Amino acid sequence: MKVLLSSARTKVAILGRPMFEPHVPRTAGWAELRFLALGEDEGAAAAEEARTWGAEACLVLEPQRLAPGVVARLPGMKIGIVPAPLDGDEAFAKLSALVRPDGSGLRWLTWPESAVPSGLASLPWLQTLPLPVDTHRVSEGPRLQHTRILVPEWASPASPVLERIRERADVERLPGGLAPSALLERLEGAGVLLHSAHEPLGRRDPLPMLALSRGLLLIADTAFPADWYVEPEDEFLVRRGEAMVRAVDELVRRPGSFHAVRVRAWQKVQEAFDASALFQRLLHDASLLSVVEERGPTGPSAG
């Protein structure tokens, strides 16, 4: 196997549902990239397009959505990126069935946090990889003059809390099911995201990280997974119940009070969650490790 990314013309296909398009770089200096949207055919059309295009590597977001025969038709190095934890034996079995050592299946996998569930521990895990963001779509820093407050329908604070917040500021509902372009447009016109969840931020919902990448102030009642190193208070605010109301009240009274938090969050995503940089490292590591495994272990020469 040749080492990938030895030239800037390596062709890399990235397959995933349309919702993942904001998490895929449009262009990169290290490769020629193409995002192939998955439809309802378990990836058959995307796999054929990757073959026709001549992809030398395929990164598959949510690989468990592909049929085994489709994975076999993918060209080049095949890496499955699991962007959110899987639940249950059925999901584990489907993912495991897609991994084969003969080249017809996935060669490597990533998991979004540590540690990998024991039922999947034997699979060829390459690294921990949170769902990244295409930061190059944002050419400027945080738009600190934007103060509009967004609340997602699917992650809204409790009604009493939201009503008290509405007494202090206008709040705009963010509906589910928006096209990626419409979602990004709403984020880029806002300054604050209120988010309420029952598990770590970003674990299954990519919205919090997208908001940070657009320079919004994130006020949430939970934190990100600890091994992502997104720091509460420095890069977003953890506020529950009445504390979330008080945070909004402070924003209304002193609009610039959390500008430093917004700037640090934007910088953190640029440095640590950029899709282009993370995918480049992923392919580089996968290529080198695969070459080492093909050559086998070597010891000191007899002499």
Side-chain angles (χ1 to χ4, degrees), residues 216-228:
L216 274 68
L217 173 67
L218 174 62
I219 307 177
D221 55 11
T222 54
F224 289 92
D227 53 5
W228 293 9

Side-chain angles (χ1 to χ4, degrees), residues 142-144 146 190-191 215-217 258-266:
R143 300 173 176 88
L144 298 177
H146 291 183
L216 274 68
L217 173 67
F258 297 112
H259 281 180
V261 176
R262 293 176 63 177
V263 170
R264 286 193 294 265
W266 182 84

Side-chain angles (χ1 to χ4, degrees), residues 174-248:
L174 188 63
L178 289 175
S181 58
L183 175 61
L184 293 180
E185 183 178 353
R186 298 284 285 275
L187 289 176
E188 288 168 2
V192 181
L193 178 73
L194 306 181
H195 193 281
S196 180
H198 301 292
E199 63 179 352
L201 281 173
R203 196 169 187 259
R204 301 182 191 275
D205 184 357
L207 178 62
M209 194 65 73
L210 278 175
L212 296 185
S213 76
R214 266 58 190 173
L216 274 68
L217 173 67
L218 174 62
I219 307 177
D221 55 11
T222 54
F224 289 92
D227 53 5
W228 293 9
Y229 301 106
V230 184
E231 302 297 337
E233 305 311 309
D234 282 344
E235 294 151 356
F236 71 104
L237 305 181
V238 177
R239 301 288 189 274
R240 298 179 179 89
E242 188 62 27
M244 186 177 285
V245 178
R246 290 196 297 269
V248 172

Side-chain angles (χ1 to χ4, degrees), residues 88 101 140 260 272 287 293:
E140 58 187 75
S287 179
E293 288 194 356

